[in-house]
Amino acid sequence: MARIAYRLAKQALPMYSHAKSPHHFTLPQLGACVLLMFYLNLSYRDMEEWLLASDAVGKELELPRVPDHTTLQRTYAKIRKADWMRMNETLLEEIGRPEEEGVAADSTGFSPGPASSYYQSRSGKAYRHWAKGVYAVGIVSQFILAMQSGWGPGSDAPYLGYLRRKARRFAKRRAWVLLADSGFDGRTVRPQDLIPPVRRGGNLLAPERRARSELVSAARLDGLYGQRWKTETVNSVIKRKFGQAIRSRKRSLQNREPIIKGLVSNIHR
């Protein structure tokens, strides 16, 4: 994990964040430490202690010494969401561009704070908004081919176009389908997409919506639509292994965490 994270960070990040930075550590070294921190689901202070106890990882990352926990926090704030997504694209290129016959998309919510569900139910202070990770997963490789972050509650339809554009590079030419639930139903849906149309008022009036409903019903019968559950599996693994809570307090930093969790999930695979 450390070796892959360090290699991806060196390809996606500059050597230093600023020409006049102290140059005690390179930005790829610190970026790899941040990825390991999310992979192990540790706090900044716990990650510092973990590195102190792990000589082999320090040698793999070529660290002259263990960075302070405040250094890790500042590094996370410096690296943009686009940089983490670039690392994911580099990883997918390295594994050989999987050609998928189908791509399954779904979103999952992350708690914006560490409070447990039990505490929220007892205190009556349930979260009204939560961080959302939207992932497009290949049904064969189960790699996350495209991802985006946002805030819920709300429709997933605004993310559909972006996910399709990013995932298209890893799908078979003209012979792949997009599978998703009705939360993605909107104006960006194409007739061949296997997305159940939302029945407003109980009936489907538009002919194209009725045709798409019949297409989804046929896909359910032959088992193709059932492949959509693979993205539910990926969502479950991300939450169980890398945590279902967001650790950051700033909204701009919170928006990056679903992307990092998706990246470390791909590296883990």
Side-chain angles (χ1 to χ4, degrees):
M1 175 67 190
R3 188 179 301 113
I4 296 174
Y6 188 33
R7 185 175 70 248
L8 295 176
K10 285 194 291 186
Q11 296 182 52
L13 300 175
M15 187 63 67
Y16 299 101
S17 59
H18 194 274
K20 295 184 179 181
S21 62
H23 292 195
H24 297 316
F25 307 97
T26 66
L27 191 58
Q29 287 174 333
L30 296 175
C33 290
V34 171
L35 280 175
L36 278 173
M37 180 184 68
F38 278 93
Y39 177 74
L40 298 169
N41 197 20
L42 299 176
S43 66
Y44 294 108
R45 291 180 182 273
D46 290 340
M47 186 61 195
E48 180 185 357
E49 295 177 0
W50 188 89
L51 287 172
L52 286 170
S54 305
D55 295 338
V57 173
K59 292 179 181 178
E60 192 68 41
L61 300 181
E62 302 175 332
L63 293 173
R65 64 177 185 275
V66 174
D68 187 76
H69 61 276
T70 57
T71 302
L72 297 177
Q73 191 278 330
R74 289 193 297 268
T75 300
Y76 173 60
K78 288 177 183 177
I79 301 178
R80 303 168 301 170
K81 184 171 72 171
D83 296 324
W84 300 117
M85 298 177 75
R86 192 180 305 114
M87 292 185 203
N88 188 62
E89 293 177 0
T90 302
L91 176 64
L92 293 174
E93 294 286 348
E94 287 185 355
I95 63 177
R97 273 183 173 269
E99 292 191 356
E100 301 286 350
E101 297 180 354
V103 176
D106 195 19
S107 66
T108 186
F110 295 95
S111 173
S116 65
S117 300
Y118 175 77
Y119 172 80
Q120 295 178 54
S121 63
R122 296 288 291 178
S123 64
K125 299 178 180 179
Y127 293 123
R128 296 186 178 182
H129 302 279
W130 54 85
K132 180 191 293 187
V134 191
Y135 305 111
V137 178
I139 62 175
V140 176
S141 65
Q142 296 189 36
F143 278 104
I144 299 175
L145 306 179
M147 52 188 167
Q148 190 56 272
S149 61
W151 290 90
S155 172
D156 296 328
Y159 306 101
L160 184 62
Y162 176 84
L163 295 179
R164 181 188 286 111
R165 290 194 305 272
K166 290 295 184 179
R168 183 185 292 117
R169 298 179 301 159
F170 307 102
K172 290 187 176 180
R173 292 184 178 180
R174 302 182 181 179
W176 67 285
V177 292
L178 181 63
L179 305 95
D181 59 18
S182 57
F184 287 87
D185 185 28
R187 296 182 179 181
T188 56
V189 176
R190 296 181 178 179
Q192 67 272 21
D193 292 338
L194 295 180
I195 300 177
V198 177
R199 294 178 178 268
R200 296 179 176 85
N203 297 316
L204 296 175
L205 302 180
E208 62 273 11
R209 294 177 68 81
R210 289 200 299 269
R212 180 151 51 88
S213 178
E214 294 173 358
L215 186 65
V216 172
S217 297
R220 290 182 192 274
L221 292 176
D222 63 21
L224 176 59
Y225 189 75
Q227 298 294 314
R228 190 191 70 81
W229 289 102
K230 291 185 177 179
T231 185
E232 301 277 3
T233 301
V234 172
N235 291 345
S236 177
V237 170
I238 289 175
K239 285 188 171 181
R240 285 187 288 107
K241 187 165 182 64
F242 311 120
Q244 60 181 356
I246 298 297
R247 67 179 69 197
S248 303
R249 292 295 174 263
K250 288 185 178 181
R251 178 63 67 95
S252 60
L253 300 183
Q254 289 177 337
N255 202 35
R256 304 175 190 180
E257 292 199 25
I259 302 299
I260 300 179
K261 290 178 185 290
L263 172 58
V264 296
S265 175
N266 273 353
I267 298 177
H268 175 68
R269 288 193 58 79

